[in-house]
Amino acid sequence: MSGLSELSRFNENVLSKYQIYNSIFMTLPFDTISNTGVLLPLFHKLCEKGFQEGKNPTEIVDTFFSKYQENPTEKEKTDLLFRFIQYIERQVVLFDAIEDAAFPVVNNMDGIGTLRNSKETAILGDKKEALKAHLEDFKVRVVLTAHPTQFYPGSVLGIITDLDKAIQNDDLLLIKKLLAQLGKTPFYKKAKPSPYDEAISLIWYLENVFYHSISKIYNYIQNNIYDGNPMDNEIIDLGFWPGGDRDGNPFVTTQITLDVAEKLRQSILRSYYRDVKKLKRRFTFDGVQEILARVEKRLYKHVVRSYSKVNFSQKILLEELLNARQIVADNHQSLFIEELDDFINKVRIFGFHFATLDIRQDSRVHHQAFTQIVKDLHTVGDTTFPKNYEHLSEEEQIEILAAVKGSIDPKILTDDTSVSTIESMYALKQIQKRNGERGANRYIISNNQTALNVMETFAMLNLCGFENGLPVDVIPLFETVEDLQNAEEVMRTLYSNRTYRYHLEKRKNKQTIMLGFSDGTKDGGYLMANWGIFKAKEALTKVSREFDIEVIFFDGRGGPPARGGGKTHQFYASLGPTIEDKEIQLTVQGQTISSNFGTQNSAQYNLEQLLSSGIKNDIFTKDQLNDDNRKLIEDMAETSYKTYVDFKNHPQFLPYLEKMSTLKYYAKTNIGSRPSKRSNSATLDFSALRAIPFVGSWSQLKQNVPGFFGVGTALKKYEDAGRFDEIVAFYNTSDFFKTLLENSMMSLTKSFFELTAYMADDPEFGEFWKLIFEEYKTTKRLLLKLTGHTVLMENFPIGKASIEIREQIVLPLLTIQQFALKQIQELQSSDENAAKIEVYEKMVMRSLFGNINASRNSA
């Protein structure tokens, strides 16, 4: 299908429908105060025209009030601006629902990158056996994280789902009612959610989307690639961070971890219970009916009550179902057997855990906890660690840590950090008992710098009384540019340790290593973070193969390209033979969950794209970087890194973020349960700043710095030297380099410097703004020159069109936000303006939500 026909389908099924339904929405009579629906389009036109004429947001707002309102009071002005915000938030929801409804029409569900396409390509190329062999141990693990980058409450998610169905059915009457419901439903949360609340909102996606789309994919593979024969591999695994990610959220307690695991167990059993009820209507035959009635009764019991004694498991349930299947096959001509097989497959995939709950904590917290544990054990006369332990060399300490075994009693520990760390490890044991080993079997160490960081965690886990070996994967997370460079040496030390190597043997000779993008981008800029991770993967693949260990890379890919996101499946398809790729594991969060996995159609399509990227890389193509290309990207990454680091060290960098962006307002919103920085200091400390508010603040300014800064300077170096043709040749032959730059182009497409052009005249920040704008212009010009395109994202017409409409919708919202920020700055010069400042701060926060929800196609 050509790009043009896809684009015309988009225009017909998304753009035209949005215009129709939006005009209905704008005339709904739920606004009793004044005709907001009539005034918003007028304000929108003024914003467009104003920015074209070089006006600033304050001038645009003032012009609007003088032109369309008769001497409004301050209160009337702010009331109307708040109502504009409400309307625009709901326009974003309407567009989301229309895009979701049109997904299978606009995207070719059997096209390139889908399983059907991969199967047909394999058969044509006589590679069906190779495809079968590849799928025997290839896996995709999608890990849902609770990082707050999307803010729809559950009630709004429900309306989006209903709107999606009503739009598919062209049910105008219901659409009208749902739009009215949307107008009356509050979007913002009055109180901060707890980590448990965040887990509940993500479990909605597990039950309503993944439960159906994953089993559909599994069934397709079984029936069409394995000719109906059973498979030993789940193929798609789900991971879950809310409630287990202690580094991501200091408010996570052991009790919350246990509660979330229990909720996951009950949710999957509830889904099974519903399916068994349906199966009973089909299998009314002797022998089968009795088994299903027995299973239904047991499932019901465990859904209604959480029993402390566990006498029901995935193994027991599968035995019952396989007995039923045998009877259907032997005695009842295999009638309806596909429906029973579908259910058996679900039980195989989701077990009694639904998604694996990962535990994550920072290495610095571990070190503090561990040091205290050693002291406390010495105090009670325990000889596990020698008295001089802390004075030993790192090598000697590692040898001691490898040999540690036991069952420590948390009651002997004297500080909260060590108690909560050990308790979270005991929680793993408890969850495995109830939900099966796959319920929680991974412990991630963020900010991992040394082999000692891993071994301290390994020793603490071994102090928790696990019998017959440790049924937990210890996963270091390398994030900063320096940590990525040291990763190979850290793993070599671990692999060389006999005890740790034996532990890996028990774990099927597999070692998972997590590599973080978002903090890497924040630390080293866009090109260096991505190239640093590519090189680290190569080095880690090499050292792991040397020790006969299969390394599995787990990518903290985030949402937008600035956090390592972007066109994920193309990124994976572009990795060459020097990087281990038996499994793809990645985190997804915020608006990436709702945009890529928000409906069954989009989830199926995007999961298939991920699966096929591994297939493409393994079976059909191998994209290997040659030495010349390596030198080019190494040099570009270095240039870009130096440019970005100089920029980050600019004396205006932090003051600009603090005074001119929405950074401090992230902490004031009730969007997520965690704080926006890791430390409690009053001053802004860059290293403690979390990646989400950092990237988000640039995004709200429509400057998207982390997605491009330094790329233009790196390209210009080659243009100035008359060597630009080398970069063009590299771009045209390397999928890896092409995907990297295409994701940067997406960041540029979402930038809009006209919004903040007024800052160029600011006495304090004018020069700094110009510095950012110059890099933006250079990057845009050279990326267009490199690709031969006239506009950004020319080769992705649908993505480009979707971004353009969304940017259009939120233009008035961005204008209001900038106007409010400017008002705050001016009012701060006097102490008497506290009440006014509070109103404008609320305006900034409310406009945060709509802006972020609108950029959900940042995946």
Side-chain angles (χ1 to χ4, degrees):
M1 287 191 195
S2 74
L4 189 67
S5 67
E6 278 189 0
L7 187 59
S8 56
R9 287 203 303 273
F10 177 85
N11 289 335
E12 197 177 305
N13 291 282
V14 180
L15 183 56
S16 305
K17 280 190 177 179
Y18 173 71
Q19 286 160 346
I20 293 163
Y21 295 139
N22 187 42
S23 61
I24 295 168
F25 175 59
M26 296 300 262
T27 55
L28 285 174
F30 58 71
D31 176 15
T32 50
I33 309 160
S34 71
N35 210 343
T36 314
V38 172
L39 292 170
L40 181 55
L42 299 172
F43 180 55
H44 197 289
K45 274 274 173 292
L46 268 185
C47 292
E48 280 183 329
K49 196 161 162 265
F51 286 122
Q52 278 166 11
E53 293 169 358
K55 286 198 168 87
N56 68 42
T58 310
E59 289 168 335
I60 292 168
V61 172
D62 289 346
T63 306
F64 170 76
F65 282 118
S66 63
K67 201 169 177 181
Y68 296 111
Q69 302 274 282
E70 278 184 46
N71 299 324
T73 64
E74 280 301 310
K75 187 173 184 326
E76 283 169 343
K77 283 184 186 177
T78 54
D79 282 353
L80 184 59
L81 292 176
F82 274 115
R83 287 203 300 282
F84 281 169
I85 292 171
Q86 276 181 298
Y87 258 79
I88 296 162
E89 281 183 327
R90 286 152 180 79
Q91 285 178 312
V92 172
V93 171
L94 174 62
F95 190 75
D96 281 353
I98 291 168
E99 210 169 36
D100 285 346
F103 191 93
V105 182
V106 174
N107 294 279
N108 183 358
M109 299 295 279
D110 295 328
I112 289 169
T114 61
L115 280 172
R116 183 181 294 262
N117 176 266
S118 295
K119 183 199 80 169
E120 284 163 6
T121 311
I123 289 169
L124 284 172
D126 203 19
K127 288 186 170 176
K128 189 180 172 190
E129 287 310 308
L131 180 58
K132 267 170 86 167
H134 169 76
L135 287 170
E136 263 162 34
D137 55 4
F138 179 74
K139 268 191 175 70
V140 167
R141 181 188 290 256
V142 173
V143 180
L144 306 184
T145 75
H147 299 340
T149 54
Q150 200 225 15
F151 316 122
Y152 294 141
S155 52
V156 176
L157 280 174
I159 298 171
I160 295 178
T161 306
D162 294 343
L163 257 177
D164 172 352
K165 285 193 190 116
I167 290 163
Q168 282 184 50
N169 300 330
D170 285 320
D171 185 342
L172 202 57
L173 191 66
L174 180 57
I175 291 168
K176 218 168 167 176
K177 283 182 175 174
L178 288 167
L179 289 174
Q181 182 191 356
L182 198 59
K184 291 177 178 293
T185 303
F187 271 45
Y188 60 94
K189 294 163 181 168
K190 289 189 171 68
K192 268 188 185 290
S194 69
Y196 183 74
D197 295 332
E198 287 172 336
I200 297 297
S201 62
L202 281 190
I203 288 171
W204 185 93
Y205 289 99
L206 297 183
E207 287 184 336
N208 293 285
V209 180
F210 289 105
Y211 183 70
H212 305 283
S213 51
I214 290 177
S215 57
K216 209 169 164 187
I217 292 170
Y218 188 92
N219 294 342
Y220 180 86
I221 292 172
Q222 188 177 48
N223 295 328
N224 294 280
I225 297 168
Y226 281 82
D227 308 316
N229 296 314
M231 299 182 290
D232 241 2
N233 179 13
E234 300 85 33
I235 293 181
I236 299 171
D237 272 333
L238 288 172
F240 205 75
W241 274 19
D245 180 11
R246 301 175 86 97
D247 173 43
N249 195 329
F251 303 122
V252 170
T253 62
T254 302
Q255 194 52 51
I256 286 174
T257 303
L258 292 169
D259 290 345
V260 169
E262 196 55 33
K263 187 68 186 170
L264 284 165
R265 181 175 184 270
Q266 287 192 332
S267 300
I268 191 61
L269 295 185
R270 191 187 306 117
S271 299
Y272 292 162
Y273 173 68
R274 287 192 204 109
D275 277 3
V276 169
K277 276 175 85 80
K278 285 181 204 151
L279 286 174
K280 277 178 71 189
R281 293 178 63 174
R282 293 277 176 265
F283 295 100
T284 47
F285 329 134
D286 275 350
V288 185
Q289 206 181 11
E290 291 79 354
I291 292 175
L292 291 180
R294 192 161 62 236
V295 164
E296 181 193 25
K297 200 173 164 186
R298 290 194 83 167
L299 284 167
Y300 180 74
K301 224 171 97 171
H302 283 269
V303 168
V304 174
R305 281 196 56 197
S306 179
Y307 290 89
S308 53
K309 189 172 184 298
V310 176
N311 59 359
F312 193 31
S313 65
Q314 177 193 25
K315 188 168 174 277
I316 294 167
L317 180 55
L318 278 174
E319 277 168 9
E320 292 272 38
L321 295 173
L322 291 169
N323 283 341
R325 190 188 191 281
Q326 194 71 49
I327 296 167
V328 175
D330 293 349
N331 306 343
H332 305 291
Q333 290 78 47
S334 295
L335 197 57
F336 295 124
I337 204 156
E338 306 81 18
E339 290 178 42
L340 185 56
D341 280 344
D342 171 57
F343 183 54
I344 289 169
N345 287 345
K346 282 174 178 163
V347 177
R348 281 200 175 117
I349 298 164
F350 303 113
F352 269 38
H353 65 288
F354 216 156
T356 301
L357 187 63
D358 289 347
I359 309 283
R360 181 172 79 126
Q361 185 54 285
D362 190 294
S363 65
R364 290 162 292 197
V365 175
H366 278 161
H367 185 66
Q368 185 192 331
F370 180 76
T371 308
Q372 190 58 45
I373 287 167
V374 173
K375 281 181 188 158
D376 288 342
L377 286 172
H378 285 158
T379 307
V380 296
D382 189 295
T383 56
T384 307
F385 297 95
K387 279 270 188 278
N388 64 341
Y389 174 80
E390 61 195 82
H391 303 294
L392 298 174
S393 68
E394 190 167 311
E395 292 76 21
E396 289 167 321
Q397 286 183 341
I398 286 173
E399 278 308 313
I400 290 165
L401 292 169
V404 166
K405 282 270 181 294
S407 287
I408 192 169
D409 182 354
K411 288 193 185 77
I412 70 155
L413 303 174
T414 57
D415 85 321
D416 293 345
T417 307
S418 46
V419 171
S420 62
T421 304
I422 288 293
E423 280 183 346
S424 71
M425 293 174 174
Y426 272 113
L428 281 171
K429 206 170 156 186
Q430 202 173 326
I431 295 165
Q432 288 192 2
K433 238 183 221 158
R434 296 184 67 75
N435 298 15
E437 194 198 296
R438 282 168 67 209
N441 59 8
R442 293 152 45 103
Y443 199 107
I444 298 155
I445 310 153
S446 49
N447 190 46
N448 196 98
Q449 295 171 342
T450 63
L452 196 61
N453 292 154
V454 177
M455 292 308 288
E456 284 178 350
T457 308
F458 183 65
M460 285 191 283
L461 282 160
N462 277 317
L463 279 173
C464 293
F466 285 100
E467 285 142 31
N468 310 320
L470 180 63
V472 177
D473 294 324
V474 185
I475 303 175
L477 162 52
F478 301 105
E479 297 180 76
T480 65
V481 172
E482 194 184 344
D483 290 348
L484 289 166
Q485 287 165 348
N486 296 336
E488 178 192 6
E489 192 189 322
V490 169
M491 294 318 296
R492 181 177 293 281
T493 305
L494 293 171
Y495 292 158
S496 305
N497 182 280
R498 283 190 316 279
T499 314
Y500 190 78
R501 184 70 189 79
Y502 179 68
H503 163 68
L504 289 180
E505 261 172 52
K506 293 275 198 189
R507 305 298 294 158
K508 299 183 180 168
N509 281 314
K510 291 182 178 186
Q511 169 70 54
T512 304
I513 297 173
M514 189 172 177
L515 302 160
F517 281 78
S518 51
D519 278 316
T521 309
K522 190 187 115 197
D523 177 57
Y526 180 73
L527 272 185
M528 182 55 101
N530 282 278
W531 177 235
I533 279 171
F534 187 93
K535 283 196 301 183
K537 282 185 174 179
E538 286 192 318
L540 291 165
T541 298
K542 193 164 173 279
V543 72
S544 301
R545 286 175 179 168
E546 198 185 306
F547 283 88
D548 282 333
I549 289 160
E550 185 187 309
V551 67
I552 296 161
F553 294 116
F554 175 20
D555 291 319
R557 282 195 69 81
R563 302 199 58 230
K567 297 174 193 71
T568 308
H569 54 275
Q570 287 173 323
F571 171 82
Y572 284 114
S574 74
L575 300 176
T578 52
I579 290 176
E580 196 71 73
D581 63 349
K582 279 279 173 61
E583 289 192 26
I584 288 174
Q585 296 193 4
L586 72 160
T587 58
V588 289
Q589 61 218 31
Q591 72 272 45
T592 314
I593 297 173
S594 57
S595 61
N596 281 8
F597 306 103
T599 66
Q600 288 177 34
N601 283 322
S602 62
Q604 185 184 334
Y605 180 82
N606 284 302
L607 286 167
E608 287 192 17
Q609 294 285 333
L610 278 173
L611 272 171
S612 70
S613 67
I615 293 167
K616 179 175 184 273
N617 197 0
D618 193 47
I619 296 169
F620 300 126
T621 56
K622 284 290 183 199
D623 174 42
Q624 193 159 5
L625 292 175
N626 64 35
D627 287 346
D628 290 343
N629 289 346
R630 277 177 179 280
K631 282 188 192 118
L632 285 176
I633 193 164
E634 181 72 50
D635 183 57
M636 285 179 72
E638 281 296 337
T639 305
S640 139
Y641 179 59
K642 187 180 179 318
T643 309
Y644 178 77
V645 169
D646 287 349
F647 172 63
K648 203 174 72 174
N649 292 336
H650 192 290
Q652 298 292 66
F653 184 86
L654 287 176
Y656 180 80
L657 270 179
E658 208 162 12
K659 289 183 192 170
M660 306 301 273
S661 85
T662 55
L663 183 69
K664 63 182 175 201
Y665 298 99
Y666 270 82
K668 296 181 181 185
T669 57
N670 288 325
I671 54 180
S673 65
R674 70 185 197 159
S676 60
K677 52 185 187 177
R678 283 184 169 89
S679 73
N680 297 321
S681 66
T683 53
L684 186 58
D685 168 17
F686 185 77
S687 62
L689 187 61
R690 289 191 181 278
I692 287 166
F694 174 71
V695 170
S697 299
W698 290 113
S699 165
Q700 300 271 328
L701 282 167
K702 302 314 281 178
Q703 292 176 2
N704 290 327
V705 159
F708 72 82
F709 204 93
V711 175
T713 303
L715 289 168
K716 192 170 184 303
K717 179 179 171 182
Y718 284 83
E719 184 186 48
D720 292 347
R723 295 176 59 193
F724 202 72
D725 55 331
E726 293 175 40
I727 306 291
V728 174
F730 181 18
Y731 177 84
N732 290 328
T733 54
S734 165
D735 285 346
F736 170 71
F737 189 51
K738 186 178 270 184
T739 305
L740 203 56
L741 294 187
E742 280 170 353
N743 284 339
S744 193
M745 281 190 243
M746 194 193 286
S747 287
L748 292 170
T749 306
K750 292 182 174 186
S751 298
F752 181 63
F753 276 82
E754 290 89 335
L755 178 72
T756 54
Y758 70 90
M759 293 181 188
D761 302 324
D762 187 272
E764 190 180 353
F765 295 110
E767 291 309 309
F768 188 71
W769 184 90
K770 286 175 194 163
L771 177 77
I772 300 169
F773 186 45
E774 281 308 313
E775 184 66 15
Y776 161 79
K777 284 193 296 186
T778 305
T779 309
K780 183 178 174 180
R781 177 179 70 79
L782 290 172
L783 283 175
L784 288 174
K785 181 179 176 179
L786 174 62
T787 54
H789 295 163
T790 49
V791 289
L792 293 167
M793 290 183 74
E794 194 175 290
N795 51 340
F796 293 102
I798 294 177
K800 184 176 181 298
S802 175
I803 288 171
E804 275 170 6
I805 298 166
R806 287 170 180 280
E807 296 293 316
Q808 270 286 305
I809 293 170
V810 295
L811 184 65
L813 199 58
L814 292 161
T815 310
I816 292 168
Q817 187 183 73
Q818 282 299 319
F819 162 75
L821 283 167
K822 195 95 182 76
Q823 292 297 111
I824 293 165
Q825 283 168 19
E826 284 164 18
L827 291 165
Q828 274 170 341
S829 55
S830 165
D831 293 341
E832 292 149 34
N833 297 325
K836 284 184 182 174
I837 289 174
E838 199 180 327
V839 172
Y840 287 115
E841 286 196 333
K842 193 175 168 193
M843 202 176 278
V844 172
M845 286 188 284
R846 285 300 310 280
S847 55
L848 268 173
F849 302 167
N851 285 337
I852 288 195
N853 288 336
S855 58
R856 82 172 195 169
N857 55 3
S858 56

